[in-house]
Amino acid sequence: MMNRIAFLAFVIVMALLPVLPTPEFWITLANYIGLYAIVALGLVLLTGVAGLTSFGQAAFVGLGAYATAWLGTQFGVSPWLGLLAGLAITAIAALTIGAITMRLSGHYLPLGTIAWGLSLFFLFGNLDFLGKYDGINGIPPITLFGHDMNSGREMFYLIWFVVIVAVIALANLLNSRPGRAIRALRGGGVMAEAMGVNTAWMKVASFVIAALLASISGWLYAHLQRAVNPTPFGLNQGIEYLFMAVIGGAGHLWGAVLGATVLTILKDQLQTVLPRLLGANGNFETIVFGLLMVLLLQRAREGLWPYVRRLFPQRPQAVAPEAAPALKKRAQPEPGGVVLQVDRARKQFGGLVAVNDMQFEVRSGEIMGLIGPNGAGKSTMFNLVTGVLPVTSGEIRFASDGALRRIDRMPSRSIVRLGIARTFQHVRLMPGMTVLENVAIGAHLRGSHGDVAGLATGILRLNRAEEDALLFEAKTQLERVGLGHMLYEEAGSLALGQQRILEIARALCCDPTLLLLDEPAAGLRYKEKVALAELLRKLRAEGMSILLVEHDMDFVMNLTDRLVVMEFGTKIAEGLPEEVRQSPAVLEAYLGGID
């Protein structure tokens, strides 16, 4: 988001443009830039932020345009009611299509968006009541405060008002609890689900918001043109919308406006200049346009906005308050009680047995180590406990509300809600987000609003009390692990050891009773390992249970209360560190060099 002075200057310039003796052609061009920018903003959210590529947004523009056009011409319905009807139709269509399409991954997702985009395009052109390929003419103008907006100059303010409101609304959303969850989608669903995010819902929600923005653009387009036909709602235009988001800077809201401006002006100039140079026979502008896009993408992979952004002083979007009401914390179980019970858990991948009838317990207020050679199945065991992988057979139980209950059939987001939090063997962070924001993702389930209400309050910025509490909790946990001085650094700029500590802070934000740490000391220097061991002992003293995988045997032997040793997915030893150290089976399999 640009700073306030630059934003105010932009608003003033746009407000003066129609009242100055600006040529009508430039007003028309600015109107189309605004219409395109509204769609591109949705694609920034969907593609640039959430990482879900869509080529079919032009079809949603068509839904908004045709809904108001048909109702206005056939029944004399007010354009404002036509807007509501278009949004309702688009929401239903997007929910239906998104529930199916957003489950796809890899190259199947963009192919799926092409398929439904083409389907809606041909639907517009083959329905008699929509005028087939001739479309609908004579659409009434929008009336505002009793005045008909009959010209492009009059529509200018409404179009750009929508653009600015959309930018502000999306900025509010992205700097909120659900917005951080949407941003976490780009890092893969495993981390987000482990922090309690319903990734399937967040994908569909992002898709619907992007579709609604496209529908609003279609509504404005219909009343600006006063006629619609299927041509502007085809696949080619859908690709151009995506180009606008990518060229401007797919991860930046103002990049959508910049991308729409650059591509619209560039296309117009090419269509004017090239026929004079090369003749009117042939679509040379399309060829040159394509070459310029390839060159631009090679030279500016992150888009143009990051270069423009350097001109403005930047400040963190999420800032932790000095004080805030404390979030509710769960009570720790009584010391010595069983908090995790693994009962003959087995995981097979085809004929490969990765975890072979594992059986062990973790008690309240203890640190247990899970050790073994590389490939022994330790991380797979972690994934079974946290719901990342389903067990093939056996049971896993966790103490919740005073009783052991099965969790092996639960998804990750339900398991973390019960009080199990984890880190990962390979660090899973959002490198472009600040340290504070990364850790705040861990507090996702501790927000005071549900999924739908959270989106609404985030967009309308009615969530300040919740945000203050979540960010203050994230700040507290970072100070707890010794990273309080790096709140506003980008997570990707941290050393690997610091990133691992950051993951522990994020897990602590989940308010767990059982903490699973996958190689937490990897990449840490000696003093950092000492500080980590002190932190884990402090957590144990507070009643937290810890299960950790680690290859640094000095670290493990001096920290843990009990050890479980795995080899080829099977438990070969369990007991106190000294007992395990002297076990012949362990010495043969793993610890031959330790005495």
Side-chain angles (χ1 to χ4, degrees):
M1 192 75 173
M2 68 169 70
N3 64 28
R4 294 179 180 178
I5 295 176
F7 176 73
L8 182 60
F10 173 80
V11 171
I12 292 173
V13 169
M14 298 307 292
L16 292 176
L17 199 60
V19 299
L20 296 173
T22 309
E24 199 65 34
F25 170 77
W26 288 104
I27 294 295
T28 300
L29 202 62
N31 282 339
Y32 280 104
I33 290 171
L35 294 175
Y36 299 153
I38 296 169
V39 186
L41 280 166
L43 282 170
V44 165
L45 175 69
L46 182 64
T47 301
V49 176
L52 306 168
T53 303
S54 174
F55 289 99
Q57 296 306 106
F60 289 131
V61 180
L63 284 178
Y66 269 104
T68 191
W70 185 69
L71 290 172
T73 56
Q74 296 297 316
F75 303 101
V77 172
S78 162
W80 297 103
L81 292 178
L83 170 62
L84 296 178
L87 291 175
I89 294 169
T90 301
I92 294 170
L95 280 169
T96 304
I97 295 170
I100 300 170
T101 310
M102 293 299 107
R103 296 180 181 180
L104 302 175
S105 60
H107 60 276
Y108 296 106
L109 175 59
L111 287 175
T113 64
I114 290 173
W116 60 255
L118 286 173
S119 298
L120 287 176
F121 170 71
F122 284 112
L123 185 68
F124 297 146
N126 285 280
L127 292 177
D128 288 325
F129 74 95
L130 295 181
K132 292 191 173 182
Y133 287 98
D134 292 328
I136 300 174
N137 298 305
I139 301 172
I142 295 173
T143 301
L144 187 62
F145 303 119
H147 176 71
D148 290 342
M149 297 183 174
N150 289 303
S151 68
R153 198 171 288 265
E154 292 174 317
M155 286 286 291
F156 177 91
Y157 285 119
L158 180 59
I159 291 171
W160 281 95
F161 173 78
V162 172
V163 173
I164 292 171
V165 168
V167 169
I168 294 173
L170 290 179
N172 289 343
L173 173 61
L174 292 177
N175 292 313
S176 68
R177 179 176 65 98
R180 287 188 292 272
I182 292 172
R183 292 155 75 185
L185 296 177
R186 195 171 183 84
V190 173
M191 182 275 286
E193 285 276 338
M195 297 300 112
V197 176
N198 187 338
T199 55
W201 158 251
M202 284 300 173
K203 288 178 181 179
V204 173
S206 303
F207 187 71
V208 171
I209 292 171
L212 292 176
L213 286 171
S215 180
I216 294 171
S217 178
W219 174 74
L220 291 166
Y221 171 83
H223 293 287
L224 175 67
Q225 287 288 96
R226 308 287 291 277
V228 295
N229 65 69
T231 304
F233 313 128
L235 181 60
N236 288 343
Q237 189 61 42
I239 294 173
E240 285 194 16
Y241 287 136
L242 190 58
F243 263 161
M244 291 173 188
V246 172
I247 296 302
H252 307 276
L253 295 176
W254 284 103
V257 181
L258 179 60
T261 303
V262 169
L263 264 69
T264 304
I265 294 176
L266 180 60
K267 282 189 66 178
D268 175 74
Q269 293 302 304
L270 289 176
Q271 289 170 354
T272 302
V273 174
L274 290 181
R276 297 175 184 171
L277 299 176
L278 303 175
N281 296 324
N283 293 324
F284 295 109
E285 66 272 9
T286 303
I287 299 172
V288 175
F289 177 78
L291 292 173
L292 288 174
M293 290 303 100
V294 171
L295 180 63
L296 186 58
L297 288 171
Q298 285 184 333
R299 297 294 181 181
R301 293 182 179 272
E302 299 299 318
L304 297 174
W305 183 252
Y307 295 97
V308 178
R309 191 183 182 189
R310 295 172 188 171
L311 303 175
F312 308 114
Q314 300 297 315
R315 62 182 181 86
Q317 294 298 316
V319 179
E322 291 300 320
L327 294 174
K328 183 179 179 181
K329 293 186 179 293
R330 71 179 87 242
Q332 297 292 344
E334 290 294 324
V338 175
V339 294
L340 180 70
Q341 186 178 74
V342 178
D343 185 8
R344 302 187 65 80
R346 185 180 185 88
K347 182 59 183 177
Q348 290 184 221
F349 298 97
L352 174 66
V353 180
V355 174
N356 184 21
D357 296 339
M358 280 292 294
Q359 193 157 349
F360 64 88
E361 293 179 346
V362 179
R363 302 189 187 103
S364 176
E366 76 168 353
I367 301 176
M368 173 178 275
L370 186 62
I371 64 174
N374 286 330
K378 305 180 296 296
S379 292
T380 303
M381 188 68 248
F382 264 37
N383 288 336
L384 295 180
V385 172
T386 54
V388 174
L389 295 173
V391 296
T392 303
S393 62
E395 296 182 1
I396 300 174
R397 304 181 188 90
F398 178 67
S400 177
D401 297 328
L404 286 172
R405 55 185 296 187
R406 287 189 67 175
I407 61 172
D408 51 85
R409 297 175 182 173
M410 293 183 178
S412 295
R413 63 179 178 275
S414 298
I415 291 174
V416 69
R417 187 184 294 274
L418 295 178
I420 298 180
R422 68 167 297 177
T423 64
F424 295 89
Q425 181 181 13
H426 304 291
V427 174
R428 294 175 184 262
L429 300 173
M430 300 306 298
M433 293 169 62
T434 65
V435 169
L436 179 70
E437 290 173 310
N438 269 276
V439 173
I441 293 172
H444 179 78
L445 283 176
R446 302 174 73 184
S448 55
H449 297 98
D451 288 335
V452 177
L455 288 170
T457 55
I459 289 172
L460 298 174
R461 205 172 177 78
L462 300 176
N463 60 345
R464 292 312 308 161
E466 176 186 83
E467 277 297 288
D468 285 347
L470 296 179
L471 294 175
F472 184 74
E473 174 70 11
K475 174 186 173 183
T476 301
Q477 298 301 342
L478 282 165
E479 291 171 344
R480 189 179 190 183
V481 301
L483 292 179
H485 61 292
M486 306 188 80
L487 296 180
Y488 306 114
E489 301 290 332
E490 285 194 354
S493 68
L494 271 61
L496 176 60
Q498 292 172 320
Q499 291 181 354
R500 291 194 178 279
I501 299 297
L502 190 158
E503 278 206 323
I504 295 175
R506 184 180 64 194
L508 291 175
C509 259
C510 298
D511 186 28
T513 57
L514 174 62
L515 185 61
L516 274 62
L517 305 178
D518 202 344
E519 300 189 26
L524 270 63
R525 296 185 291 267
Y526 174 75
K527 289 185 177 180
E528 292 172 329
K529 289 181 182 180
V530 171
L532 174 61
E534 290 177 358
L535 171 64
L536 298 184
R537 291 189 184 101
K538 181 180 178 182
L539 294 175
R540 176 179 59 187
E542 294 173 0
M544 187 175 296
S545 309
I546 300 170
L547 176 63
L548 66 87
V549 167
E550 186 51 64
H551 286 292
D552 186 327
M553 288 299 103
D554 287 335
F555 181 82
V556 170
M557 290 294 178
N558 293 321
L559 177 67
T560 57
D561 299 302
R562 290 189 301 128
L563 287 172
V564 172
V565 187
M566 295 180 68
E567 184 183 23
F568 300 120
T570 302
K571 183 175 76 172
I572 62 171
E574 179 178 358
L576 300 175
E578 284 302 321
E579 297 172 349
V580 169
R581 183 195 297 266
Q582 298 171 13
S583 167
V586 174
L587 290 172
E588 180 181 352
Y590 189 45
L591 299 178
I594 292 183
D595 49 37

mmCIF file of all heavy atoms in Angstrom, residues 563-580:
data_model
loop_
_atom_site.group_PDB
_atom_site.id
_atom_site.type_symbol
_atom_site.label_atom_id
_atom_site.label_comp_id
_atom_site.label_asym_id
_atom_site.label_seq_id
_atom_site.Cartn_x
_atom_site.Cartn_y
_atom_site.Cartn_z
ATOM 1 N N LEU A 563 13.230 -40.925 26.005
ATOM 2 C CA LEU A 563 13.512 -41.030 24.586
ATOM 3 C C LEU A 563 12.799 -42.233 23.991
ATOM 4 O O LEU A 563 12.652 -43.275 24.648
ATOM 5 C CB LEU A 563 15.018 -41.176 24.336
ATOM 6 C CG LEU A 563 15.905 -39.941 24.546
ATOM 7 C CD1 LEU A 563 17.373 -40.332 24.435
ATOM 8 C CD2 LEU A 563 15.567 -38.876 23.523
ATOM 9 N N VAL A 564 12.364 -42.067 22.736
ATOM 10 C CA VAL A 564 11.883 -43.178 21.921
ATOM 11 C C VAL A 564 12.767 -43.224 20.685
ATOM 12 O O VAL A 564 13.002 -42.195 20.048
ATOM 13 C CB VAL A 564 10.406 -42.989 21.509
ATOM 14 C CG1 VAL A 564 9.991 -44.059 20.493
ATOM 15 C CG2 VAL A 564 9.504 -43.067 22.733
ATOM 16 N N VAL A 565 13.283 -44.407 20.382
ATOM 17 C CA VAL A 565 14.197 -44.562 19.253
ATOM 18 C C VAL A 565 13.519 -45.368 18.160
ATOM 19 O O VAL A 565 12.944 -46.434 18.434
ATOM 20 C CB VAL A 565 15.505 -45.256 19.681
ATOM 21 C CG1 VAL A 565 16.519 -45.244 18.526
ATOM 22 C CG2 VAL A 565 16.100 -44.577 20.910
ATOM 23 N N MET A 566 13.597 -44.854 16.915
ATOM 24 C CA MET A 566 13.002 -45.527 15.763
ATOM 25 C C MET A 566 14.095 -45.945 14.786
ATOM 26 O O MET A 566 15.115 -45.274 14.640
ATOM 27 C CB MET A 566 12.010 -44.599 15.046
ATOM 28 C CG MET A 566 10.799 -44.210 15.843
ATOM 29 S SD MET A 566 9.696 -43.091 14.894
ATOM 30 C CE MET A 566 9.103 -44.220 13.607
ATOM 31 N N GLU A 567 13.827 -47.061 14.111
ATOM 32 C CA GLU A 567 14.660 -47.484 12.988
ATOM 33 C C GLU A 567 13.754 -48.188 11.983
ATOM 34 O O GLU A 567 13.009 -49.113 12.345
ATOM 35 C CB GLU A 567 15.778 -48.419 13.435
ATOM 36 C CG GLU A 567 16.710 -48.778 12.280
ATOM 37 C CD GLU A 567 17.790 -49.754 12.679
ATOM 38 O OE1 GLU A 567 17.594 -50.487 13.663
ATOM 39 O OE2 GLU A 567 18.831 -49.794 11.997
ATOM 40 N N PHE A 568 13.815 -47.734 10.743
ATOM 41 C CA PHE A 568 12.968 -48.285 9.673
ATOM 42 C C PHE A 568 11.491 -48.304 10.075
ATOM 43 O O PHE A 568 10.766 -49.257 9.814
ATOM 44 C CB PHE A 568 13.430 -49.692 9.293
ATOM 45 C CG PHE A 568 14.843 -49.748 8.789
ATOM 46 C CD1 PHE A 568 15.794 -50.515 9.441
ATOM 47 C CD2 PHE A 568 15.220 -49.016 7.670
ATOM 48 C CE1 PHE A 568 17.106 -50.548 8.987
ATOM 49 C CE2 PHE A 568 16.537 -49.053 7.208
ATOM 50 C CZ PHE A 568 17.478 -49.815 7.865
ATOM 51 N N GLY A 569 11.048 -47.226 10.754
ATOM 52 C CA GLY A 569 9.642 -47.097 11.114
ATOM 53 C C GLY A 569 9.222 -47.837 12.352
ATOM 54 O O GLY A 569 8.060 -47.758 12.754
ATOM 55 N N THR A 570 10.136 -48.570 12.984
ATOM 56 C CA THR A 570 9.802 -49.403 14.130
ATOM 57 C C THR A 570 10.491 -48.887 15.388
ATOM 58 O O THR A 570 11.639 -48.443 15.344
ATOM 59 C CB THR A 570 10.249 -50.857 13.878
ATOM 60 O OG1 THR A 570 9.609 -51.339 12.694
ATOM 61 C CG2 THR A 570 9.878 -51.769 15.045
ATOM 62 N N LYS A 571 9.805 -48.978 16.522
ATOM 63 C CA LYS A 571 10.410 -48.595 17.796
ATOM 64 C C LYS A 571 11.369 -49.689 18.228
ATOM 65 O O LYS A 571 10.994 -50.859 18.339
ATOM 66 C CB LYS A 571 9.336 -48.386 18.863
ATOM 67 C CG LYS A 571 9.908 -47.919 20.205
ATOM 68 C CD LYS A 571 8.810 -47.596 21.202
ATOM 69 C CE LYS A 571 8.194 -48.847 21.784
ATOM 70 N NZ LYS A 571 7.260 -48.551 22.891
ATOM 71 N N ILE A 572 12.619 -49.284 18.500
ATOM 72 C CA ILE A 572 13.611 -50.264 18.945
ATOM 73 C C ILE A 572 14.031 -50.047 20.391
ATOM 74 O O ILE A 572 14.692 -50.912 20.977
ATOM 75 C CB ILE A 572 14.856 -50.262 18.026
ATOM 76 C CG1 ILE A 572 15.558 -48.897 18.056
ATOM 77 C CG2 ILE A 572 14.485 -50.658 16.612
ATOM 78 C CD1 ILE A 572 16.906 -48.900 17.342
ATOM 79 N N ALA A 573 13.673 -48.896 20.959
ATOM 80 C CA ALA A 573 14.025 -48.658 22.360
ATOM 81 C C ALA A 573 13.182 -47.512 22.904
ATOM 82 O O ALA A 573 12.725 -46.644 22.161
ATOM 83 C CB ALA A 573 15.511 -48.331 22.506
ATOM 84 N N GLU A 574 12.982 -47.525 24.230
ATOM 85 C CA GLU A 574 12.289 -46.428 24.922
ATOM 86 C C GLU A 574 12.756 -46.401 26.356
ATOM 87 O O GLU A 574 12.947 -47.453 26.981
ATOM 88 C CB GLU A 574 10.774 -46.616 24.863
ATOM 89 C CG GLU A 574 10.008 -45.508 25.585
ATOM 90 C CD GLU A 574 8.501 -45.660 25.488
ATOM 91 O OE1 GLU A 574 8.036 -46.611 24.827
ATOM 92 O OE2 GLU A 574 7.789 -44.822 26.093
ATOM 93 N N GLY A 575 12.971 -45.195 26.888
ATOM 94 C CA GLY A 575 13.375 -45.099 28.279
ATOM 95 C C GLY A 575 14.077 -43.801 28.580
ATOM 96 O O GLY A 575 14.020 -42.837 27.798
ATOM 97 N N LEU A 576 14.731 -43.750 29.731
ATOM 98 C CA LEU A 576 15.495 -42.575 30.125
ATOM 99 C C LEU A 576 16.698 -42.415 29.201
ATOM 100 O O LEU A 576 17.187 -43.403 28.635
ATOM 101 C CB LEU A 576 15.957 -42.713 31.572
ATOM 102 C CG LEU A 576 14.853 -42.858 32.636
ATOM 103 C CD1 LEU A 576 15.487 -43.109 33.999
ATOM 104 C CD2 LEU A 576 13.954 -41.644 32.652
ATOM 105 N N PRO A 577 17.195 -41.187 29.038
ATOM 106 C CA PRO A 577 18.343 -40.990 28.141
ATOM 107 C C PRO A 577 19.521 -41.897 28.444
ATOM 108 O O PRO A 577 20.161 -42.443 27.544
ATOM 109 C CB PRO A 577 18.692 -39.509 28.358
ATOM 110 C CG PRO A 577 17.407 -38.876 28.738
ATOM 111 C CD PRO A 577 16.685 -39.909 29.548
ATOM 112 N N GLU A 578 19.835 -42.084 29.738
ATOM 113 C CA GLU A 578 20.971 -42.937 30.107
ATOM 114 C C GLU A 578 20.724 -44.385 29.721
ATOM 115 O O GLU A 578 21.636 -45.108 29.308
ATOM 116 C CB GLU A 578 21.256 -42.820 31.610
ATOM 117 C CG GLU A 578 21.950 -41.537 32.005
ATOM 118 C CD GLU A 578 23.280 -41.357 31.290
ATOM 119 O OE1 GLU A 578 24.008 -42.361 31.122
ATOM 120 O OE2 GLU A 578 23.579 -40.223 30.869
ATOM 121 N N GLU A 579 19.470 -44.855 29.882
ATOM 122 C CA GLU A 579 19.130 -46.226 29.495
ATOM 123 C C GLU A 579 19.244 -46.415 27.986
ATOM 124 O O GLU A 579 19.765 -47.424 27.509
ATOM 125 C CB GLU A 579 17.709 -46.562 29.957
ATOM 126 C CG GLU A 579 17.533 -46.543 31.470
ATOM 127 C CD GLU A 579 16.078 -46.678 31.895
ATOM 128 O OE1 GLU A 579 15.187 -46.576 31.015
ATOM 129 O OE2 GLU A 579 15.829 -46.880 33.089
ATOM 130 N N VAL A 580 18.740 -45.435 27.244
ATOM 131 C CA VAL A 580 18.797 -45.521 25.789
ATOM 132 C C VAL A 580 20.239 -45.472 25.308
ATOM 133 O O VAL A 580 20.648 -46.178 24.385
ATOM 134 C CB VAL A 580 17.969 -44.387 25.160
ATOM 135 C CG1 VAL A 580 18.222 -44.291 23.659
ATOM 136 C CG2 VAL A 580 16.491 -44.599 25.429
#
